[in-house]
Amino acid sequence: MWRIRLDTLAGRLAVEVRDADLLIASFYTFDCQAHALQELKLPGQLTWWQGLEDAHKNLLFIHGYGDRKVGQHKGITALAAETGAVQWQEPDLTFYGVIAEGVLAYPAATPESGFILLQTQSGAVLQQNITQQEAVEKVNNYNIARYNACTYPMLYLEGEVYFLEVSRFLAEQGAGEALKAIEYAETEQFMIISYYCLADEDKLDNFVAVFDLEGDLHLKEKVAGNLHGIGSDTFFIFKHELYFVQNSDTLQVYNLTL
């Protein structure tokens, strides 16, 4: 799995999977309520040169590439999350972000000319000449409301005060000696901790553990093994469910209610 985007309004995940050997990119949606996975068939054959930008209001926003050597994103294709049908396309615009009023984009060839607001479901132009500062503020402000039902962990690096506190807790609970970094999040009932332990040949294993507020262990899973370094956002919580990708190819979902 290469990229996951959360459509909080529709309760869906959008997932991009890339196969470097076959040069194929595949796209899926995951219904968070029904726990149902569905593959979307994109138009055209060169899906390797397409990628997932975002997911919002039951749409997936897919980009192409302008200059493939530098990875410049160009083009927007809006796909219906349930069917994969193309809702609209803008081949000469570059996706920037979503806000309450629609989708913000800019001309790929002349990004300095200003941002454009597009209607989410149709791609119709609603407003032009939006400044970069306005675009940044609008996207950042909307993200606060957009992700209010979603929790991402805080990252604590080795040597920081909170790293020392959480690593001490893990050791006391017999969960292992944490190294390098810890990610930590809390719900009303649980503490969720992602951490790294020493594996063979100076490599690292990444674990996710779930404790209740009394310190009792409810879940411990190895997320990945024999890693050369650490990652970030190794899990997230959405509507009382814990999500993480195991071994880069398996989506794991656990209910976080007692």
Side-chain angles (χ1 to χ4, degrees), residues 144-155:
I144 295 173
R146 183 183 176 195
Y147 294 110
N148 65 351
C150 186
T151 300
Y152 287 91
M154 295 294 296
L155 175 65

Side-chain angles (χ1 to χ4, degrees), residues 11 39 42 50 55 64 89 105 138 152 154-155 194 235-236 244:
E39 183 176 4
L42 270 67
Q50 295 172 304
Q89 289 182 298
K138 286 177 179 291
Y152 287 91
M154 295 294 296
L155 175 65
S194 171
F235 68 87
F236 65 89
F244 61 89

Side-chain angles (χ1 to χ4, degrees), residues 1 65 71 123 131 156 198:
M1 294 186 192
Y65 287 96
T131 67
Y156 304 129
L198 185 64

